Amino acid sequence: MRILAIDVGTGTQDIMIYDDEKELENSIKLVLPSPHMFISQQIREIENDLYFNGEIMGGGKIKRSLQEHMDKGYKVVMEEIPAKTIRDKISQVEAIGIEIASPDKEYKDYTKITLGDINITQLSEFLLGYDLEFDFDEIAIAVQDHGYNENMGDRDFRFEKIREKLSEPIKPEEFSFKGNVPEYYTRMKAVERCLENEGIEIKPVLMDTKFASIAGMCHDETASKLNSYIAIDIGNGHTTAASIENGKIQAIFEHHTSSLTPESLENYLKRLADGIITNEEVYNDHGHGAHVINPISKIEKVIVTGPKRELIEKTNLDWHHACPGGDVMMTGTIGLIKTLEALHV
């Protein structure tokens, strides 16, 4: 079975091509800038009015780049679907000066940019340039998706859905979808449409980046020898930690990385393990929230990944940098691959 796994993060998109007839370590790997980084650079280099089509994607620096572009006196027009990259509510997109495209107007003098987290055509051309076969049995993709509910803030809605899924201890791989992505996960649905529009008939496995990362950390060589531990992804924007026992998530919390100190992080992780962390304490500290089913026996070790993982080194906790398959950059992609393999068992 050949698998294409893509983990779209804030800074990079990590790509792995895995063949189960070969060793995991011999997989083809790519670490490229995240799509929003590339598009933000495009915006900065163009001296013209802009027109955006395509899909919803991770916004990242795009909103800021567009505001700077408009400050120069240029116009920005977006079709309604890609405009939701900026804000889910179109009225909020218009409020910052972006025009929503009208079918009655022509925008022939505008420079056109297509938004989307996934560009299979571009990736295939790159791989074929190295005489690599672009033929897969399965595709798995991770993007961060808070979900959208017009009557609820994204922090609240994200944890409402996590609580629904985590009503009992489950394996991280169970935080995945294959052909059954709910409509409220707008970014994942956009990835599905991107693939369909490029003629890909394979139904992809889709996961939130944080749960793909947690799944990957559980397959780290050190983690695989533990029974009771914490897996934590300390990302550029968000930090997500799960307490694991018997291979299943027992509790989870998520915060903004910039709001954490070594002291507060250590306190949160100990409370997570003890099962006494509350959603209110994290939320009121401007984090996303927490959800607890059970305490774990003890923290045998903290398995950590993410670009800001040095934060854990300043705590008194016993930590280990996750490197499943011998590569710290492929934690999410390996989580995706292991999730796919679990679906085929």
Side-chain angles (χ1 to χ4, degrees):
M1 181 170 62
R2 280 173 55 84
I3 299 172
L4 171 64
I6 305 174
D7 180 17
V8 182
T10 302
T12 64
Q13 54 176 323
D14 309 323
I15 302 167
M16 178 178 281
I17 298 171
Y18 170 68
D19 187 333
D20 63 4
E21 294 183 359
K22 300 178 181 179
E23 298 83 3
L24 182 64
E25 288 78 0
N26 283 324
S27 299
I28 302 298
K29 305 172 188 177
L30 300 170
V31 178
L32 303 171
S34 279
H36 80 91
M37 302 280 282
F38 171 71
I39 290 171
S40 294
Q41 183 63 35
Q42 273 187 296
I43 293 168
R44 286 193 295 269
E45 293 175 353
I46 294 170
E47 299 294 335
N48 194 24
D49 298 330
L50 298 176
Y51 181 94
F52 291 85
N53 58 15
E55 278 294 348
I56 301 167
M57 65 176 293
K61 296 182 177 181
I62 292 175
K63 179 182 176 182
R64 185 185 307 168
S65 297
L66 289 179
Q67 288 176 319
E68 292 172 354
H69 198 70
M70 289 185 291
D71 287 342
K72 296 177 183 178
Y74 295 112
K75 295 177 182 178
V76 173
V77 176
M78 305 186 83
E79 294 180 4
E80 188 167 328
I81 289 177
K84 293 181 179 180
T85 295
I86 308 304
R87 297 293 296 180
D88 287 297
K89 290 186 177 180
I90 295 301
S91 60
Q92 294 178 341
V93 178
E94 293 176 310
I96 65 171
I98 294 172
E99 179 186 340
I100 302 303
S102 168
D104 301 325
K105 291 185 180 180
E106 290 188 17
Y107 302 92
K108 61 181 180 179
D109 294 327
Y110 287 61
T111 299
K112 290 181 170 58
I113 296 177
T114 300
L115 297 188
D117 279 312
I118 301 298
N119 190 328
I120 291 294
T121 299
Q122 185 182 57
L123 178 60
S124 66
E125 290 173 350
F126 178 84
L127 293 174
L128 290 169
Y130 283 88
D131 202 26
L132 295 171
E133 185 180 2
F134 196 81
D135 182 26
F136 305 102
D137 301 298
E138 297 281 5
I139 296 174
I141 298 169
V143 294
Q144 188 169 54
D145 196 334
H146 288 66
Y148 173 64
N149 183 317
E150 63 180 5
N151 300 314
M152 192 180 298
D154 60 1
R155 287 192 298 162
D156 302 89
F157 190 63
R158 179 171 174 82
F159 258 81
E160 177 180 284
K161 293 305 171 185
I162 288 174
R163 280 190 291 271
E164 287 178 7
K165 186 74 173 179
L166 200 59
S167 59
E168 61 182 12
I170 61 174
K171 294 181 178 180
E173 291 87 347
E174 294 182 56
F175 277 91
S176 62
F177 303 98
K178 186 175 174 63
N180 61 337
V181 178
E183 291 294 330
Y184 50 77
Y185 284 131
T186 56
R187 193 174 171 192
M188 292 189 198
K189 294 297 289 185
V191 168
E192 283 188 326
R193 291 193 297 268
C194 280
L195 294 179
E196 290 170 2
N197 291 338
E198 295 197 64
I200 304 298
E201 296 181 357
I202 299 170
K203 283 289 184 184
V205 164
L206 291 161
M207 292 184 80
D208 186 272
T209 51
K210 292 302 185 182
F211 288 101
S213 178
I214 291 168
M217 281 187 275
C218 291
H219 290 279
D220 172 83
E221 184 177 353
T222 295
S224 65
K225 299 174 183 176
L226 305 174
N227 183 60
S228 180
Y229 60 96
I230 286 175
I232 180 170
D233 182 321
I234 308 179
N236 290 308
H238 298 92
T239 290
T240 307
S243 57
I244 310 287
E245 190 158 280
N246 299 322
K248 295 182 177 181
I249 297 176
Q250 307 293 331
I252 192 163
F253 100 95
E254 188 169 75
H255 212 307
H256 295 104
T257 303
S258 60
S259 298
L260 293 169
T261 65
E263 293 75 22
S264 66
L265 179 60
E266 182 172 339
N267 178 57
Y268 277 133
L269 294 184
K270 288 179 177 178
R271 291 175 63 79
L272 183 75
D274 291 339
I276 58 174
I277 193 172
T278 66
N279 184 71
E280 290 72 24
E281 69 178 292
V282 179
Y283 189 86
N284 292 337
D285 191 34
H286 307 292
H288 277 199
H291 177 59
V292 175
I293 303 172
N294 299 309
I296 58 174
S297 303
K298 62 178 181 177
I299 304 176
E300 294 178 33
K301 198 174 287 288
V302 176
I303 308 298
V304 60
T305 192
K308 301 293 185 181
R309 60 187 179 274
E310 71 275 2
L311 184 64
I312 203 73
E313 299 174 9
K314 300 172 184 176
T315 70
N316 296 309
L317 298 165
D318 183 12
W319 50 267
H320 164 74
H321 289 311
C323 54
D327 192 333
V328 297
M329 293 299 294
M330 291 294 139
T331 304
T333 57
I334 289 175
L336 288 168
I337 289 165
K338 294 300 181 183
T339 295
L340 251 172
E341 288 182 332
L343 292 174
H344 281 267
V345 171

